[in-house]
Coordinates of all heavy atoms in Angstrom, one line a residue:
P96 N 15.4 -22.0 -15.0 CA 14.1 -22.3 -15.8 C 13.3 -23.4 -15.1 O 13.9 -24.3 -14.4 CB 14.7 -22.7 -17.2 CG 16.1 -23.1 -17.0 CD 16.6 -22.3 -15.8
G98 N 11.4 -25.5 -16.7 CA 11.3 -26.6 -17.6 C 12.6 -26.9 -18.3 O 13.6 -26.2 -18.1
D99 N 12.6 -27.9 -19.2 CA 13.8 -28.2 -20.0 C 14.0 -27.2 -21.1 O 13.0 -26.8 -21.7 CB 13.7 -29.6 -20.5 CG 15.0 -30.1 -21.2 OD1 16.1 -29.6 -20.8 OD2 14.9 -30.8 -22.2
E100 N 15.2 -26.7 -21.3 CA 15.5 -25.7 -22.3 C 15.1 -26.2 -23.7 O 14.8 -25.4 -24.5 CB 17.0 -25.3 -22.2 CG 17.3 -24.1 -23.0 CD 18.7 -23.6 -22.8 OE1 19.1 -23.5 -21.7 OE2 19.4 -23.4 -23.9
S101 N 15.2 -27.5 -23.9 CA 14.9 -28.0 -25.3 C 13.4 -27.8 -25.6 O 13.0 -27.9 -26.8 CB 15.3 -29.5 -25.4 OG 14.6 -30.2 -24.5
D102 N 12.6 -27.6 -24.6 CA 11.1 -27.4 -24.9 C 10.8 -26.0 -25.4 O 9.8 -25.7 -25.9 CB 10.3 -27.6 -23.6 CG 10.4 -29.1 -23.2 OD1 10.7 -30.0 -24.0 OD2 10.2 -29.3 -22.0
W103 N 11.8 -25.1 -25.3 CA 11.6 -23.7 -25.6 C 11.6 -23.5 -27.1 O 12.5 -24.0 -27.8 CB 12.6 -22.8 -25.0 CG 12.6 -22.7 -23.5 CD1 11.8 -23.4 -22.7 CD2 13.4 -21.9 -22.7 NE1 12.1 -23.1 -21.4 CE2 13.1 -22.2 -21.4 CE3 14.4 -21.0 -23.0 CZ2 13.7 -21.6 -20.3 CZ3 15.0 -20.4 -21.9 CH2 14.7 -20.6 -20.6
E104 N 10.7 -22.8 -27.7 CA 10.7 -22.6 -29.1 C 11.9 -21.7 -29.5 O 12.6 -21.9 -30.5 CB 9.4 -21.8 -29.5 CG 9.3 -21.6 -31.0 CD 8.0 -20.9 -31.4 OE1 7.0 -21.1 -30.7 OE2 8.1 -20.0 -32.3
A105 N 12.3 -20.8 -28.6 CA 13.4 -19.9 -28.9 C 14.7 -20.6 -28.9 O 15.7 -20.1 -29.5 CB 13.4 -18.7 -27.9
A106 N 14.8 -21.7 -28.2 CA 16.1 -22.5 -28.1 C 16.3 -23.5 -29.3 O 17.3 -24.1 -29.4 CB 16.1 -23.3 -26.8
Q107 N 15.3 -23.6 -30.1 CA 15.3 -24.5 -31.3 C 16.2 -23.9 -32.4 O 16.3 -22.7 -32.5 CB 13.9 -24.8 -31.8 CG 13.0 -25.4 -30.8 CD 13.4 -26.7 -30.2 OE1 13.9 -27.6 -30.9 NE2 13.3 -26.9 -28.9
E108 N 16.8 -24.8 -33.1 CA 17.6 -24.4 -34.3 C 16.6 -23.9 -35.4 O 15.5 -24.5 -35.6 CB 18.4 -25.6 -34.8 CG 19.5 -26.0 -33.9 CD 20.6 -25.0 -33.8 OE1 20.9 -24.3 -34.8 OE2 21.2 -24.8 -32.7
P109 N 16.9 -22.8 -36.0 CA 16.0 -22.3 -37.1 C 16.0 -23.3 -38.2 O 17.0 -23.9 -38.6 CB 16.6 -21.0 -37.5 CG 18.0 -21.0 -37.0 CD 18.1 -22.0 -35.9
E110 N 14.8 -23.4 -38.8 CA 14.6 -24.3 -39.9 C 15.1 -23.6 -41.2 O 15.2 -22.4 -41.2 CB 13.1 -24.7 -40.1 CG 12.6 -25.5 -38.9 CD 11.1 -25.9 -39.1 OE1 10.6 -25.7 -40.2 OE2 10.5 -26.3 -38.2

Side-chain angles (χ1 to χ4, degrees):
D99 187 30
E100 190 175 311
S101 64
D102 295 336
W103 297 3
E104 183 180 325
Q107 303 297 320
E108 292 292 325
E110 296 180 11

